[in-house]
Amino acid sequence: MSGVVLDAAWVREWIRRSAEVIASNRAQLSTLDRAVGDGDHGENMDRGFTAVLAKVEDAPLDATPADLLKLVATTLISTVGGASGPLFGTAYLKASGAVAGAVELDGDAVLAMLSAARDGIVLRGKADAGDKTMVDAWTPAVDAAAALPSGRDPIAVLRAAADAAEAGARATEPLVARKGRASYLGERAVGHRDPGASSSALLLRAAVDAAETG
Ligand code: ADP
Ligand code: MG
């Protein structure tokens, strides 16, 4: 058993790093979305995480991980717009529900959180694996995290998830989209990476970085 646990300070650091990495990749995410959508994914996410950061900085000192994740959810839903706002909003809302009441998160709790987030995205957007959406980052992420032996170190869980999400995002390139705006393009979407899968991978990498150094 690993004794490592993550807490609300980690969630705060994850959110700070998420806002940072989304801001620094804003142009790149919109460039991806220009190829397969309407070119606003970077702006949408940056607007959302800028608002999230302000809210979280004002959150009570005793806010639990679930409280903070719920604040992320409600803020993203009200500020991101687009298809991705309600999808990420639902992800963080379900993640919050999965760790309700917990002060410290072990590996199993982190896995439950990621798994609930993925389930929320699937429930909301009805995309299957291979439809060229953010599900293609989240599903391999959860599968890789779940494949680790039990008694998982939460940082190892996050690292497995982030690595698989990055590979999953890259693997959207050859796909034809079956959900979202990119599905209107047919074969023309082939060769382009899905923007929501890419931002999802960035958010999961930010979770690792926050846990390793936060
Ligand atoms: P919009 O498409 O409304 O402009 P964004 O550009 O912010 O919204 O987000 C686009 C991303 O949303 C896509 O790259 C894809 O990952 C994700 N997406 C769209 N529809 C779905 C869906 N039904 N299920 C899962 N993800 C989806
Ligand atoms: Mg868009």
Side-chain angles (χ1 to χ4, degrees), residues 12 28 40 43-44 47 70 73 89 91 163 189 194 198 207:
R12 286 180 193 262
Q28 197 222 333
D40 62 356
E43 277 71 34
N44 288 343
R47 181 169 61 252
K70 191 168 180 187
D163 290 348
D194 178 66
S198 307

Side-chain angles (χ1 to χ4, degrees), residues 33 38 40-41 44 80-84 87 121 125-127 132-135 179-181 194-197:
D33 196 31
D38 56 354
D40 62 356
H41 188 61
N44 288 343
V80 172
S84 59
L87 290 163
I121 292 166
K126 311 272 187 287
K132 195 176 180 109
T133 71
M134 60 176 74
V135 170
K179 284 282 186 305
R181 288 180 197 278
D194 178 66

Side-chain angles (χ1 to χ4, degrees), residues 83 86-92 94 114-131 133-140 142-143 179:
L87 290 163
F88 279 121
T90 306
Y92 283 93
K94 298 288 185 187
L114 296 176
S115 180
R118 186 272 313 267
D119 292 349
I121 292 166
V122 170
L123 189 75
R124 179 90 206 187
K126 311 272 187 287
D128 293 318
D131 282 354
T133 71
M134 60 176 74
V135 170
D136 293 324
W138 283 94
T139 289
V142 171
D143 290 350
K179 284 282 186 305

Side-chain angles (χ1 to χ4, degrees), residues 35 60 85 139 152 159:
T139 289
R152 315 160 177 95
R159 207 179 285 126

Side-chain angles (χ1 to χ4, degrees), residues 174-197:
L175 301 176
V176 171
R178 287 189 293 254
K179 284 282 186 305
R181 288 180 197 278
S183 65
Y184 309 146
L185 295 180
E187 294 289 328
R188 279 181 293 146
V190 171
H192 300 287
R193 196 174 299 196
D194 178 66

